[in-house]
Every structure is written in structure tokens, then in C-alpha cells.
């Protein structure tokens, strides 16, 4: 059974940067699209970014476009989220997730139901 472990969260100032990592173990990684979601206190988990397994296509939530970048290194079974120009509203727990088998396309990239393996999350706090 694949396991996902996020790391790299912490405290940052507004305008600063953080890099999150998600390491997969115990199962297949390279054949699956991967995504990042986040959940702020009292709010629902929301889509942040996703990356395909073959063509490395990427999709982003509008509120992170131009600031965040998702990438993956299949040799290391790791997916990354580079977060720049951080804002206080980026505060939350960030989760990586493995999508169910199949292509990553615009209409499914941000759907939580398309992801069936989740990490435990890493806290990101951005101070103003």
C-alpha cells in the first residue's frame, strides 16, 4: 500500500517562499498523477495544483497561478510544490494526494474524489 509523507511546511512571512515535498513509498508512483490540496481552519479542503504522470501536464487553482509551481521527480518518487509570494491566506494544512488511475484532465484535476491516497499533511503558516 502506497504511503505519502509531506514535509517542508513551517512558518513564513508574507512575500516569502517555501518548498513542500511529498515522498511516496510502498507502491507505484510514476504511473499516477499527483495533486496538492490545502485546508484552512474551519474551511473545506481545496485544490491547489496537480501534475500528470506522463506528459507532466500541470493545473493550478486560480488563486495560486503565477505564484506556485508543482513538479515531480519520478526517480525519487517525490512531488514538490514551490510556493512563492506567499500570502497570509495561504495558511493551512497542505496535503499531497495520488490520483486514481487515468489521465489528468482539466475537468478532474481539482476534484478531491479523483484522489484516493492522501498524506497526513504539513502545516504552512504565513504571517503578515
Amino acid at each position: 500500500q502506497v504511503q505519502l509523507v509531506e514535509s517542508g511546511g513551517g512558518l513564513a512571512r508574507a512575500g516569502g517562499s517555501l518548498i513542500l515535498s511529498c515522498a511516496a513509498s510502498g507502491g507505484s508512483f510514476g504511473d499516477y498523477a499527483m495533486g496538492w490540496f490545502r485546508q484552512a481552519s474551519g474551511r473545506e479542503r481545496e485544490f491547489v495544483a496537480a501534475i500528470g504522470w506522463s506528459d507532466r501536464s500541470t493545473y493550478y487553482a486560480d488563486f495560486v497561478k503565477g505564484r506556485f509551481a508543482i513538479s515531480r521527480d519520478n526517480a525519487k518518487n517525490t512531488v514538490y510544490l514551490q510556493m512563492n509570494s506567499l500570502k497570509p491566506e495561504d495558511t493551512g494544512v497542505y496535503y499531497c494526494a495520488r490520483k486514481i488511475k487515468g489521465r489528468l484532465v482539466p475537468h478532474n484535476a481539482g476534484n478531491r474524489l479523483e484522489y484516493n491516497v492522501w498524506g497526513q499533511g504539513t502545516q504552512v503558516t504565513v504571517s503578515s
Side-chain angles (χ1 to χ4, degrees):
Q1 180 72 10
V2 66
Q3 290 186 319
L4 304 176
V5 178
E6 301 95 336
S7 61
L11 180 63
R13 291 190 175 184
S17 299
L18 284 173
I19 302 175
L20 304 184
S21 299
C22 172
S25 62
S28 181
F29 174 81
D31 294 338
Y32 293 83
M34 298 293 294
W36 284 97
F37 290 74
R38 71 185 187 187
Q39 187 166 17
S41 180
R43 301 187 64 176
E44 294 211 348
R45 194 170 299 188
E46 61 183 356
F47 169 71
V48 175
I51 185 166
W53 67 271
S54 61
D55 59 0
R56 306 292 180 97
S57 54
T58 56
Y59 300 93
Y60 296 94
D62 287 343
F63 53 77
V64 302
K65 282 182 180 177
R67 300 189 298 124
F68 291 9
I70 188 171
S71 61
R72 66 190 297 162
D73 185 339
N74 287 346
K76 296 182 178 180
N77 286 353
T78 302
V79 62
Y80 304 96
L81 185 67
Q82 172 73 51
M83 304 189 296
N84 299 322
S85 302
L86 284 164
K87 304 175 181 180
E89 51 264 44
D90 293 320
T91 294
V93 179
Y94 282 70
Y95 299 89
C96 73
R98 192 184 77 172
K99 187 186 171 300
I100 60 177
K101 203 84 172 185
R103 283 193 64 194
L104 186 72
V105 293
H107 78 263
N108 69 20
N111 183 352
R112 285 181 297 171
L113 298 179
E114 290 282 335
Y115 298 81
N116 63 348
V117 181
W118 295 81
Q120 84 290 347
T122 185
Q123 176 71 43
V124 171
T125 303
V126 183
S127 62
S128 57

Short mmCIF file of all heavy atoms in Angstrom, two decimals, residues 64-128:
data_model
loop_
_atom_site.label_atom_id
_atom_site.label_comp_id
_atom_site.label_asym_id
_atom_site.label_seq_id
_atom_site.Cartn_x
_atom_site.Cartn_y
_atom_site.Cartn_z
N VAL A 64 -3.46 30.51 -7.00
CA VAL A 64 -2.02 30.27 -6.89
C VAL A 64 -1.28 30.42 -8.22
O VAL A 64 -0.05 30.32 -8.24
CB VAL A 64 -1.70 28.90 -6.28
CG1 VAL A 64 -2.32 28.76 -4.90
CG2 VAL A 64 -2.11 27.77 -7.20
N LYS A 65 -2.01 30.64 -9.27
CA LYS A 65 -1.36 30.77 -10.58
C LYS A 65 -0.34 31.91 -10.57
O LYS A 65 -0.61 32.99 -10.10
CB LYS A 65 -2.41 31.02 -11.67
CG LYS A 65 -3.16 29.77 -12.09
CD LYS A 65 -4.16 30.07 -13.19
CE LYS A 65 -4.91 28.80 -13.60
NZ LYS A 65 -5.94 29.08 -14.63
N GLY A 66 0.83 31.59 -11.08
CA GLY A 66 1.90 32.58 -11.13
C GLY A 66 2.71 32.64 -9.85
O GLY A 66 3.76 33.30 -9.82
N ARG A 67 2.24 32.00 -8.79
CA ARG A 67 2.98 32.01 -7.52
C ARG A 67 3.50 30.64 -7.12
O ARG A 67 4.59 30.53 -6.56
CB ARG A 67 2.07 32.54 -6.39
CG ARG A 67 1.54 33.94 -6.60
CD ARG A 67 0.86 34.46 -5.37
NE ARG A 67 -0.30 33.66 -4.97
CZ ARG A 67 -0.45 33.10 -3.77
NH1 ARG A 67 0.47 33.25 -2.84
NH2 ARG A 67 -1.55 32.41 -3.48
N PHE A 68 2.73 29.59 -7.38
CA PHE A 68 3.11 28.24 -7.00
C PHE A 68 3.49 27.44 -8.25
O PHE A 68 2.97 27.70 -9.35
CB PHE A 68 1.96 27.52 -6.31
CG PHE A 68 1.60 28.05 -4.94
CD1 PHE A 68 2.15 29.23 -4.44
CD2 PHE A 68 0.70 27.35 -4.16
CE1 PHE A 68 1.81 29.70 -3.18
CE2 PHE A 68 0.35 27.81 -2.89
CZ PHE A 68 0.90 28.99 -2.41
N ALA A 69 4.35 26.44 -8.05
CA ALA A 69 4.72 25.56 -9.15
C ALA A 69 4.82 24.13 -8.63
O ALA A 69 5.50 23.88 -7.64
CB ALA A 69 6.04 25.99 -9.77
N ILE A 70 4.16 23.22 -9.32
CA ILE A 70 4.22 21.81 -8.96
C ILE A 70 5.18 21.10 -9.91
O ILE A 70 5.24 21.42 -11.10
CB ILE A 70 2.81 21.16 -9.02
CG1 ILE A 70 2.85 19.74 -8.45
CG2 ILE A 70 2.24 21.20 -10.43
CD1 ILE A 70 1.46 19.12 -8.29
N SER A 71 5.94 20.17 -9.38
CA SER A 71 6.86 19.38 -10.19
C SER A 71 7.00 18.01 -9.57
O SER A 71 6.54 17.77 -8.44
CB SER A 71 8.23 20.08 -10.29
OG SER A 71 8.81 20.21 -9.00
N ARG A 72 7.63 17.11 -10.30
CA ARG A 72 7.81 15.77 -9.78
C ARG A 72 9.13 15.19 -10.26
O ARG A 72 9.63 15.54 -11.33
CB ARG A 72 6.65 14.85 -10.18
CG ARG A 72 6.54 14.57 -11.66
CD ARG A 72 5.22 13.86 -11.98
NE ARG A 72 5.13 12.55 -11.35
CZ ARG A 72 4.00 11.89 -11.17
NH1 ARG A 72 2.85 12.40 -11.58
NH2 ARG A 72 3.99 10.70 -10.60
N ASP A 73 9.66 14.30 -9.45
CA ASP A 73 10.88 13.55 -9.80
C ASP A 73 10.54 12.08 -9.60
O ASP A 73 10.56 11.58 -8.46
CB ASP A 73 12.03 13.99 -8.90
CG ASP A 73 13.35 13.33 -9.28
OD1 ASP A 73 13.32 12.27 -9.95
OD2 ASP A 73 14.39 13.86 -8.91
N ASN A 74 10.22 11.40 -10.68
CA ASN A 74 9.78 10.01 -10.56
C ASN A 74 10.91 9.09 -10.08
O ASN A 74 10.65 8.06 -9.48
CB ASN A 74 9.22 9.52 -11.89
CG ASN A 74 7.86 10.12 -12.20
OD1 ASN A 74 7.20 10.68 -11.33
ND2 ASN A 74 7.45 10.02 -13.46
N ALA A 75 12.14 9.46 -10.35
CA ALA A 75 13.27 8.65 -9.88
C ALA A 75 13.35 8.68 -8.36
O ALA A 75 13.84 7.72 -7.74
CB ALA A 75 14.56 9.15 -10.49
N LYS A 76 12.86 9.75 -7.77
CA LYS A 76 12.88 9.89 -6.31
C LYS A 76 11.51 9.66 -5.68
O LYS A 76 11.37 9.82 -4.46
CB LYS A 76 13.39 11.28 -5.92
CG LYS A 76 14.82 11.56 -6.33
CD LYS A 76 15.27 12.93 -5.86
CE LYS A 76 16.73 13.20 -6.23
NZ LYS A 76 17.18 14.55 -5.78
N ASN A 77 10.53 9.32 -6.51
CA ASN A 77 9.17 9.10 -6.01
C ASN A 77 8.69 10.30 -5.19
O ASN A 77 8.09 10.14 -4.12
CB ASN A 77 9.09 7.83 -5.16
CG ASN A 77 9.14 6.58 -5.99
OD1 ASN A 77 9.11 6.63 -7.23
ND2 ASN A 77 9.24 5.44 -5.34
N THR A 78 8.95 11.48 -5.70
CA THR A 78 8.65 12.69 -4.95
C THR A 78 7.98 13.73 -5.83
O THR A 78 8.35 13.90 -6.99
CB THR A 78 9.94 13.28 -4.33
OG1 THR A 78 10.55 12.30 -3.49
CG2 THR A 78 9.63 14.52 -3.51
N VAL A 79 7.01 14.41 -5.26
CA VAL A 79 6.36 15.54 -5.92
C VAL A 79 6.60 16.77 -5.04
O VAL A 79 6.66 16.66 -3.81
CB VAL A 79 4.86 15.28 -6.15
CG1 VAL A 79 4.12 15.09 -4.84
CG2 VAL A 79 4.23 16.39 -6.97
N TYR A 80 6.76 17.91 -5.69
CA TYR A 80 7.12 19.14 -4.98
C TYR A 80 6.07 20.23 -5.24
O TYR A 80 5.38 20.22 -6.25
CB TYR A 80 8.47 19.66 -5.47
CG TYR A 80 9.59 18.66 -5.33
CD1 TYR A 80 9.95 17.86 -6.41
CD2 TYR A 80 10.29 18.52 -4.14
CE1 TYR A 80 10.98 16.93 -6.30
CE2 TYR A 80 11.32 17.60 -4.02
CZ TYR A 80 11.66 16.81 -5.11
OH TYR A 80 12.68 15.90 -4.99
N LEU A 81 6.01 21.16 -4.30
CA LEU A 81 5.21 22.35 -4.50
C LEU A 81 6.07 23.55 -4.08
O LEU A 81 6.33 23.75 -2.90
CB LEU A 81 3.92 22.31 -3.69
CG LEU A 81 2.97 23.47 -3.95
CD1 LEU A 81 2.40 23.40 -5.37
CD2 LEU A 81 1.82 23.49 -2.93
N GLN A 82 6.53 24.30 -5.07
CA GLN A 82 7.28 25.52 -4.82
C GLN A 82 6.28 26.64 -4.62
O GLN A 82 5.47 26.92 -5.51
CB GLN A 82 8.20 25.83 -6.00
CG GLN A 82 8.88 27.20 -5.92
CD GLN A 82 9.97 27.24 -4.90
OE1 GLN A 82 10.87 26.39 -4.90
NE2 GLN A 82 9.95 28.24 -4.02
N MET A 83 6.33 27.28 -3.46
CA MET A 83 5.37 28.33 -3.14
C MET A 83 6.11 29.65 -2.97
O MET A 83 6.95 29.78 -2.07
CB MET A 83 4.61 27.97 -1.86
CG MET A 83 3.92 26.62 -1.93
SD MET A 83 2.82 26.32 -0.52
CE MET A 83 4.02 26.29 0.81
N ASN A 84 5.83 30.59 -3.84
CA ASN A 84 6.45 31.91 -3.80
C ASN A 84 5.40 32.98 -3.53
O ASN A 84 4.20 32.73 -3.65
CB ASN A 84 7.14 32.21 -5.13
CG ASN A 84 8.24 31.22 -5.45
OD1 ASN A 84 8.97 30.76 -4.58
ND2 ASN A 84 8.36 30.88 -6.73
N SER A 85 5.86 34.15 -3.17
CA SER A 85 4.96 35.29 -2.92
C SER A 85 3.82 34.89 -2.00
O SER A 85 2.64 35.15 -2.28
CB SER A 85 4.40 35.83 -4.25
OG SER A 85 5.45 36.23 -5.11
N LEU A 86 4.17 34.24 -0.93
CA LEU A 86 3.16 33.71 -0.01
C LEU A 86 2.34 34.84 0.60
O LEU A 86 2.83 35.95 0.84
CB LEU A 86 3.84 32.89 1.08
CG LEU A 86 4.30 31.50 0.65
CD1 LEU A 86 5.28 30.92 1.66
CD2 LEU A 86 3.11 30.57 0.46
N LYS A 87 1.08 34.51 0.85
CA LYS A 87 0.13 35.44 1.46
C LYS A 87 -0.43 34.82 2.73
O LYS A 87 -0.47 33.59 2.85
CB LYS A 87 -1.02 35.73 0.50
CG LYS A 87 -0.60 36.25 -0.86
CD LYS A 87 -1.81 36.38 -1.78
CE LYS A 87 -1.41 36.89 -3.16
NZ LYS A 87 -2.57 37.03 -4.05
N PRO A 88 -0.87 35.63 3.67
CA PRO A 88 -1.46 35.06 4.89
C PRO A 88 -2.61 34.09 4.59
O PRO A 88 -2.78 33.10 5.31
CB PRO A 88 -1.95 36.30 5.65
CG PRO A 88 -1.02 37.38 5.22
CD PRO A 88 -0.73 37.10 3.77
N GLU A 89 -3.35 34.35 3.53
CA GLU A 89 -4.46 33.45 3.19
C GLU A 89 -4.00 32.11 2.63
O GLU A 89 -4.82 31.22 2.41
CB GLU A 89 -5.41 34.13 2.20
CG GLU A 89 -4.75 34.72 0.97
CD GLU A 89 -4.48 36.20 1.14
OE1 GLU A 89 -4.00 36.62 2.22
OE2 GLU A 89 -4.72 36.96 0.17
N ASP A 90 -2.69 31.93 2.44
CA ASP A 90 -2.17 30.62 2.04
C ASP A 90 -1.98 29.71 3.25
O ASP A 90 -1.62 28.54 3.10
CB ASP A 90 -0.82 30.77 1.33
CG ASP A 90 -0.93 31.46 -0.01
OD1 ASP A 90 -1.90 31.18 -0.74
OD2 ASP A 90 -0.04 32.27 -0.35
N THR A 91 -2.22 30.23 4.42
CA THR A 91 -2.08 29.44 5.65
C THR A 91 -3.05 28.27 5.65
O THR A 91 -4.22 28.42 5.31
CB THR A 91 -2.34 30.32 6.88
OG1 THR A 91 -1.29 31.30 6.96
CG2 THR A 91 -2.35 29.50 8.16
N GLY A 92 -2.55 27.10 6.06
CA GLY A 92 -3.39 25.92 6.14
C GLY A 92 -2.53 24.67 6.19
O GLY A 92 -1.30 24.74 6.16
N VAL A 93 -3.21 23.54 6.24
CA VAL A 93 -2.53 22.25 6.16
C VAL A 93 -2.53 21.82 4.70
O VAL A 93 -3.58 21.82 4.05
CB VAL A 93 -3.23 21.19 7.02
CG1 VAL A 93 -2.50 19.84 6.89
CG2 VAL A 93 -3.27 21.62 8.48
N TYR A 94 -1.36 21.51 4.19
CA TYR A 94 -1.20 21.13 2.79
C TYR A 94 -1.05 19.61 2.70
O TYR A 94 -0.22 19.02 3.40
CB TYR A 94 0.01 21.83 2.19
CG TYR A 94 -0.29 23.27 1.85
CD1 TYR A 94 -0.48 24.21 2.85
CD2 TYR A 94 -0.40 23.69 0.53
CE1 TYR A 94 -0.78 25.54 2.55
CE2 TYR A 94 -0.69 25.01 0.21
CZ TYR A 94 -0.88 25.92 1.23
OH TYR A 94 -1.18 27.23 0.91
N TYR A 95 -1.86 19.04 1.83
CA TYR A 95 -1.87 17.59 1.64
C TYR A 95 -1.48 17.25 0.20
O TYR A 95 -1.92 17.92 -0.74
CB TYR A 95 -3.27 17.03 1.87
CG TYR A 95 -3.83 17.25 3.25
CD1 TYR A 95 -4.55 18.41 3.54
CD2 TYR A 95 -3.66 16.30 4.25
CE1 TYR A 95 -5.08 18.61 4.80
CE2 TYR A 95 -4.20 16.50 5.51
CZ TYR A 95 -4.90 17.65 5.78
OH TYR A 95 -5.44 17.85 7.03
N CYS A 96 -0.68 16.20 0.06
CA CYS A 96 -0.49 15.69 -1.29
C CYS A 96 -1.36 14.44 -1.43
O CYS A 96 -1.74 13.81 -0.43
CB CYS A 96 0.97 15.37 -1.59
SG CYS A 96 1.64 13.93 -0.79
N ALA A 97 -1.68 14.13 -2.66
CA ALA A 97 -2.59 13.03 -2.91
C ALA A 97 -2.26 12.39 -4.25
O ALA A 97 -1.81 13.07 -5.18
CB ALA A 97 -4.04 13.52 -2.91
N ARG A 98 -2.51 11.09 -4.33
CA ARG A 98 -2.31 10.36 -5.58
C ARG A 98 -3.67 10.15 -6.25
O ARG A 98 -4.62 9.67 -5.62
CB ARG A 98 -1.66 9.01 -5.32
CG ARG A 98 -1.16 8.33 -6.60
CD ARG A 98 -0.61 6.95 -6.31
NE ARG A 98 -1.66 5.96 -6.11
CZ ARG A 98 -1.45 4.66 -5.99
NH1 ARG A 98 -0.21 4.19 -6.04
NH2 ARG A 98 -2.45 3.83 -5.80
N LYS A 99 -3.71 10.51 -7.50
CA LYS A 99 -4.97 10.39 -8.24
C LYS A 99 -5.21 8.92 -8.58
O LYS A 99 -4.29 8.13 -8.74
CB LYS A 99 -4.90 11.23 -9.51
CG LYS A 99 -6.20 11.32 -10.29
CD LYS A 99 -6.00 12.04 -11.59
CE LYS A 99 -7.23 11.94 -12.48
NZ LYS A 99 -7.53 10.54 -12.80
N ILE A 100 -6.47 8.59 -8.73
CA ILE A 100 -6.81 7.26 -9.22
C ILE A 100 -6.27 7.11 -10.64
O ILE A 100 -5.97 8.10 -11.31
CB ILE A 100 -8.33 7.00 -9.20
CG1 ILE A 100 -9.06 8.03 -10.09
CG2 ILE A 100 -8.85 7.04 -7.77
CD1 ILE A 100 -10.56 7.80 -10.19
N LYS A 101 -6.13 5.88 -11.08
CA LYS A 101 -5.55 5.63 -12.39
C LYS A 101 -6.32 6.37 -13.48
O LYS A 101 -7.53 6.46 -13.44
CB LYS A 101 -5.61 4.12 -12.69
CG LYS A 101 -4.60 3.67 -13.71
CD LYS A 101 -3.25 3.39 -13.08
CE LYS A 101 -2.32 2.74 -14.09
NZ LYS A 101 -1.04 2.33 -13.51
N GLY A 102 -5.58 6.89 -14.44
CA GLY A 102 -6.23 7.58 -15.53
C GLY A 102 -5.61 8.93 -15.78
O GLY A 102 -4.85 9.45 -14.96
N ARG A 103 -5.92 9.49 -16.92
CA ARG A 103 -5.33 10.76 -17.33
C ARG A 103 -5.79 11.91 -16.45
O ARG A 103 -6.92 11.94 -15.97
CB ARG A 103 -5.67 11.06 -18.78
CG ARG A 103 -4.86 10.28 -19.81
CD ARG A 103 -5.04 10.87 -21.18
NE ARG A 103 -4.50 12.23 -21.23
CZ ARG A 103 -4.76 13.09 -22.21
NH1 ARG A 103 -5.56 12.75 -23.18
NH2 ARG A 103 -4.23 14.29 -22.20
N LEU A 104 -4.92 12.85 -16.31
CA LEU A 104 -5.24 14.09 -15.62
C LEU A 104 -5.72 15.08 -16.68
O LEU A 104 -4.99 15.38 -17.63
CB LEU A 104 -4.00 14.64 -14.92
CG LEU A 104 -4.20 15.87 -14.03
CD1 LEU A 104 -4.94 15.50 -12.76
CD2 LEU A 104 -2.85 16.50 -13.71
N VAL A 105 -6.94 15.53 -16.54
CA VAL A 105 -7.50 16.48 -17.49
C VAL A 105 -8.17 17.60 -16.71
O VAL A 105 -8.42 17.47 -15.51
CB VAL A 105 -8.53 15.80 -18.42
CG1 VAL A 105 -7.83 14.80 -19.34
CG2 VAL A 105 -9.61 15.10 -17.62
N PRO A 106 -8.44 18.71 -17.36
CA PRO A 106 -8.96 19.87 -16.61
C PRO A 106 -10.19 19.57 -15.75
O PRO A 106 -10.31 20.10 -14.66
CB PRO A 106 -9.27 20.88 -17.72
CG PRO A 106 -8.29 20.56 -18.78
CD PRO A 106 -8.16 19.06 -18.77
N HIS A 107 -11.08 18.74 -16.26
CA HIS A 107 -12.32 18.55 -15.51
C HIS A 107 -12.18 17.64 -14.32
O HIS A 107 -13.09 17.57 -13.50
CB HIS A 107 -13.44 18.04 -16.44
CG HIS A 107 -13.35 16.59 -16.76
ND1 HIS A 107 -12.76 16.12 -17.91
CD2 HIS A 107 -13.77 15.49 -16.07
CE1 HIS A 107 -12.84 14.81 -17.93
NE2 HIS A 107 -13.44 14.39 -16.83
N ASN A 108 -11.05 16.93 -14.17
CA ASN A 108 -10.89 16.06 -13.00
C ASN A 108 -9.73 16.46 -12.09
O ASN A 108 -9.62 15.97 -10.98
CB ASN A 108 -10.78 14.59 -13.41
CG ASN A 108 -9.49 14.26 -14.14
OD1 ASN A 108 -8.50 14.96 -14.07
ND2 ASN A 108 -9.50 13.15 -14.87
N ALA A 109 -8.88 17.35 -12.53
CA ALA A 109 -7.67 17.68 -11.77
C ALA A 109 -7.98 18.20 -10.38
O ALA A 109 -7.27 17.89 -9.42
CB ALA A 109 -6.84 18.70 -12.53
N GLY A 110 -9.01 18.97 -10.23
CA GLY A 110 -9.30 19.60 -8.95
C GLY A 110 -10.36 18.89 -8.12
O GLY A 110 -10.76 19.39 -7.07
N ASN A 111 -10.80 17.72 -8.56
CA ASN A 111 -11.87 17.00 -7.89
C ASN A 111 -11.27 16.07 -6.82
O ASN A 111 -10.59 15.11 -7.15
CB ASN A 111 -12.66 16.20 -8.91
CG ASN A 111 -13.84 15.48 -8.30
OD1 ASN A 111 -14.03 15.45 -7.09
ND2 ASN A 111 -14.67 14.90 -9.15
N ARG A 112 -11.55 16.33 -5.57
CA ARG A 112 -11.00 15.52 -4.48
C ARG A 112 -11.36 14.05 -4.62
O ARG A 112 -10.59 13.17 -4.21
CB ARG A 112 -11.51 16.03 -3.13
CG ARG A 112 -10.87 17.31 -2.66
CD ARG A 112 -11.43 17.71 -1.32
NE ARG A 112 -12.86 17.97 -1.38
CZ ARG A 112 -13.64 18.17 -0.33
NH1 ARG A 112 -13.13 18.09 0.88
NH2 ARG A 112 -14.91 18.43 -0.47
N LEU A 113 -12.50 13.76 -5.19
CA LEU A 113 -12.96 12.37 -5.33
C LEU A 113 -12.10 11.59 -6.32
O LEU A 113 -12.18 10.36 -6.37
CB LEU A 113 -14.42 12.34 -5.75
CG LEU A 113 -15.40 12.97 -4.76
CD1 LEU A 113 -16.82 12.89 -5.32
CD2 LEU A 113 -15.31 12.30 -3.40
N GLU A 114 -11.30 12.29 -7.12
CA GLU A 114 -10.42 11.63 -8.07
C GLU A 114 -9.13 11.15 -7.41
O GLU A 114 -8.32 10.50 -8.04
CB GLU A 114 -10.06 12.60 -9.20
CG GLU A 114 -11.22 12.91 -10.12
CD GLU A 114 -11.49 11.81 -11.13
OE1 GLU A 114 -10.55 11.05 -11.44
OE2 GLU A 114 -12.65 11.69 -11.59
N TYR A 115 -8.94 11.47 -6.15
CA TYR A 115 -7.71 11.13 -5.43
C TYR A 115 -8.04 10.16 -4.30
O TYR A 115 -8.93 10.43 -3.49
CB TYR A 115 -7.06 12.40 -4.88
CG TYR A 115 -6.66 13.38 -5.96
CD1 TYR A 115 -7.58 14.23 -6.53
CD2 TYR A 115 -5.35 13.42 -6.43
CE1 TYR A 115 -7.22 15.12 -7.54
CE2 TYR A 115 -4.97 14.31 -7.43
CZ TYR A 115 -5.92 15.16 -7.98
OH TYR A 115 -5.55 16.03 -8.98
N ASN A 116 -7.33 9.06 -4.24
CA ASN A 116 -7.71 8.05 -3.25
C ASN A 116 -6.60 7.70 -2.26
O ASN A 116 -6.79 6.84 -1.40
CB ASN A 116 -8.19 6.77 -3.95
CG ASN A 116 -7.11 6.13 -4.79
OD1 ASN A 116 -6.07 6.71 -5.05
ND2 ASN A 116 -7.36 4.91 -5.25
N VAL A 117 -5.45 8.32 -2.39
CA VAL A 117 -4.38 8.12 -1.41
C VAL A 117 -3.92 9.50 -0.96
O VAL A 117 -3.58 10.34 -1.80
CB VAL A 117 -3.18 7.33 -1.99
CG1 VAL A 117 -2.12 7.14 -0.90
CG2 VAL A 117 -3.64 5.99 -2.54
N TRP A 118 -3.90 9.71 0.35
CA TRP A 118 -3.59 11.03 0.90
C TRP A 118 -2.47 10.94 1.93
O TRP A 118 -2.36 9.94 2.66
CB TRP A 118 -4.83 11.63 1.57
CG TRP A 118 -5.93 11.92 0.61
CD1 TRP A 118 -6.85 11.05 0.11
CD2 TRP A 118 -6.23 13.19 0.02
NE1 TRP A 118 -7.69 11.70 -0.76
CE2 TRP A 118 -7.34 13.02 -0.82
CE3 TRP A 118 -5.67 14.47 0.14
CZ2 TRP A 118 -7.90 14.06 -1.56
CZ3 TRP A 118 -6.24 15.51 -0.58
CH2 TRP A 118 -7.33 15.30 -1.42
N GLY A 119 -1.67 11.99 2.00
CA GLY A 119 -0.70 12.09 3.06
C GLY A 119 -1.34 12.65 4.33
O GLY A 119 -2.52 12.96 4.35
N GLN A 120 -0.53 12.81 5.35
CA GLN A 120 -1.04 13.27 6.64
C GLN A 120 -1.09 14.79 6.72
O GLN A 120 -1.70 15.35 7.63
CB GLN A 120 -0.19 12.72 7.79
CG GLN A 120 1.07 13.52 8.10
CD GLN A 120 2.15 13.42 7.04
OE1 GLN A 120 2.09 12.57 6.16
NE2 GLN A 120 3.15 14.28 7.13
N GLY A 121 -0.43 15.46 5.79
CA GLY A 121 -0.48 16.91 5.74
C GLY A 121 0.71 17.57 6.43
O GLY A 121 1.33 16.99 7.32
N THR A 122 1.01 18.77 5.99
CA THR A 122 2.05 19.57 6.61
C THR A 122 1.54 21.00 6.77
O THR A 122 0.93 21.55 5.86
CB THR A 122 3.36 19.53 5.80
OG1 THR A 122 4.39 20.22 6.50
CG2 THR A 122 3.20 20.14 4.41
N GLN A 123 1.76 21.58 7.94
CA GLN A 123 1.21 22.90 8.25
C GLN A 123 2.06 24.00 7.63
O GLN A 123 3.30 24.01 7.75
CB GLN A 123 1.15 23.11 9.76
CG GLN A 123 0.70 24.48 10.19
CD GLN A 123 -0.78 24.73 9.92
OE1 GLN A 123 -1.61 23.85 10.18
NE2 GLN A 123 -1.11 25.92 9.41
N VAL A 124 1.39 24.93 6.97
CA VAL A 124 2.03 26.13 6.44
C VAL A 124 1.36 27.33 7.10
O VAL A 124 0.13 27.45 7.05
CB VAL A 124 1.89 26.21 4.91
CG1 VAL A 124 2.36 27.57 4.40
CG2 VAL A 124 2.68 25.09 4.25
N THR A 125 2.14 28.18 7.70
CA THR A 125 1.62 29.38 8.34
C THR A 125 2.34 30.59 7.78
O THR A 125 3.57 30.65 7.82
CB THR A 125 1.80 29.32 9.86
OG1 THR A 125 1.17 28.15 10.37
CG2 THR A 125 1.19 30.55 10.52
N VAL A 126 1.58 31.52 7.24
CA VAL A 126 2.16 32.73 6.65
C VAL A 126 1.73 33.92 7.49
O VAL A 126 0.54 34.19 7.64
CB VAL A 126 1.70 32.90 5.20
CG1 VAL A 126 2.38 34.13 4.57
CG2 VAL A 126 2.01 31.65 4.39
N SER A 127 2.71 34.63 8.01
CA SER A 127 2.43 35.80 8.84
C SER A 127 2.48 37.07 8.00
O SER A 127 3.23 37.16 7.03
CB SER A 127 3.44 35.90 9.98
OG SER A 127 4.74 36.07 9.46
N SER A 128 1.68 38.02 8.41
CA SER A 128 1.61 39.28 7.66
C SER A 128 2.68 40.26 8.11
O SER A 128 3.34 40.04 9.12
CB SER A 128 0.24 39.90 7.81
OG SER A 128 -0.05 40.10 9.18
#
